[in-house]
Each structure stands twice: as C-alpha cells, then as structure tokens.
C-alpha cells in the first residue's frame, strides 16, 4: 500500500498547496498524542482512544474496495486462512489449534476475532496457542509455512499479497470470512477546522476520476473514496462493547 498512500499524500498536498510528508509510524503513540495532521488509521484504535477520552482526530473519508463482495460500501472482511493441506474446513475446526494475529489494536486481525469468539460463546479458551506476528504479511507466511494453523487477515491485504506472491495460493486456503467491518478511515486532526476537513474530503473523493491516480488506487484494490464520519464506526464500537461486557478482551 505504500505507493498508494504516497500518491494520496502527494495529491492532497498538491491540491491544497501545502507540502506533505508521509510518515510510517511504528506504534500508536503519535496518533494518541495528535502529532500528525492526517492519518491512515485502523478503526479499532480510533474507537478505543475515543472510549479512553482521547479523540485527537475525526474520520472524514474511507476507501471502497473493488469487487462484488464489498457492494460499493466502505467495508472489508477478515478472511480466515489455513494451510491448504491442513484438513481444517470450518472455524470450529480451529479449536485447540494455533492462531496468529498481526497486532492487538488491529480490528481485522484481533478485534473481529475477539468479537467472533464472544458471539459464539467461546470465552473460556478456544485456541491452543495464540501468537503475535507483528504484521498480516508475517501471519500469512506463518500459515503458509505451517508455523501456525490459522489467522484472520484483512481481505485487502490478502488480495494484494496473493496478487504479488501468487505462490501463496498453493499454500493457503480461505475457510471463513469474519465481518464485514467498516474499513479503516482517513482521519484529520481536530486541530483543523471543518473547512479544511471538507477540502481534504473533496480531494479524496475525486481521486478516482483521474486516470493516473485511478491506476495507483488500483494497486491497492481501491475503487474510490467516500465521505465518512464518526457514526460510520458504530459497528466497531458495538463489537468492542460486546467484548467489554463479556469481560473478554484477550484472545485465547
């Protein structure tokens, strides 16, 4: 996604007449501390920070992914993958098996799995082993190499990996899809006024109308951007609240 993020950052800067710098964060502290002006941010930390009384940015736009499964909406799925020869056919078959996730503030890799376990009443310990992989790409390869039995992968990330590394299709198989969840937003710091946020939205929702940019968006399977706001993430809030009510905040 780096070429996509870079092109978006450049285009927003060009059209607004300001210089831009794309920063790749290694944790969420700068997001929490409102260091950056505009962020591509996962929906779960956005909602979780808000619930902690820290709400430095507002979601303003989100991508609509290409493909019929997305129904023209700003959503994505978490595809449950296993090794192609594992014999695992359903999520229930993963009981007692090993599971990898990217990181604990990821909706696609962690939050949705936690909610799914709550929704099926499995809060006493479902997996035999749970491993933090660090990145979706790492979790995919752990499954492909039989290092773990399963993982939930952001469907956008999985599509990109399968396209760029077609050999993975020989090693992994999708057995289920969790979600959908509202997709990760572009969020603008509250330090800026509504007029600035509207300008950013106008640029983002116009990107797909330009051939060169449309091609770059296609690298990330992004069809176009649509405006969103805080209430569009009520589904993420509801999942988090269900896990809190169940007292189940750590996958096991």
């Amino acid at each position: 996604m780096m070429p996509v993020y870079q092109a978006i950052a450049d285009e927003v800067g060009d059209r607004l007449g300001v210089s831009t710098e794309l920063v790749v964060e290694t944790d969420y502290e700068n997001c929490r501390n409102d260091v950056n002006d505009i962020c591509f941010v996962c929906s779960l930390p956005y909602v979780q920070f808000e619930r902690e009384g820290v709400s430095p940015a507002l979601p303003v736009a989100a991508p609509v992914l290409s493909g019929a499964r997305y129904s023209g909406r700003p959503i994505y799925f978490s595809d449950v993958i296993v090794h192609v020869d594992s014999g695992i056919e359903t999520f229930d078959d993963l009981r007692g098996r090993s599971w990898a996730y990217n990181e604990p503030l990821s909706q696609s890799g962690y939050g949705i799995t936690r909610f799914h376990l709550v929704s099926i009443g499995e809060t006493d310990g479902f997996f035999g082993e749970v491993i933090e992989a660090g990145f979706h790409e790492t979790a995919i390869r752990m499954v492909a190499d039989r290092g773990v039995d399963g993982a939930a992968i952001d469907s956008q990330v999985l599509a990109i990996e399968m396209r760029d590394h077609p050999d993975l299709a020989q090693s992994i198989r999708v057995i289920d899809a969790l979600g959908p969840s509202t997709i990760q937003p572009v969020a603008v710091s509250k330090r800026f006024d509504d007029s600035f946020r509207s300008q950013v939205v106008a640029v983002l929702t116009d990107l797909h109308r330009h051939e060169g940019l449309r091609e770059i968006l296609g690298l990330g399977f992004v069809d176009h951007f649509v405006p969103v706001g805080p209430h569009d993430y009520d589904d993420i809030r509801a999942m988090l609240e269900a896990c809190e009510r169940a007292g189940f905040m750590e996958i096991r």
Side-chain angles (χ1 to χ4, degrees), residues 63 82 132 175-176 195 220 233 240:
V82 299
E132 181 173 352
I175 61 163
D176 203 347
S195 174
Y233 294 88
L240 179 57

Side-chain angles (χ1 to χ4, degrees), residues 13-14 40 47 50 59 62 64 87 93 112 139 144 167 182 189 234 242:
D14 288 346
F40 300 97
V47 168
E50 179 185 70
V64 173
D93 291 340
I112 191 70
D167 55 300
T182 305
S189 170
D234 285 347

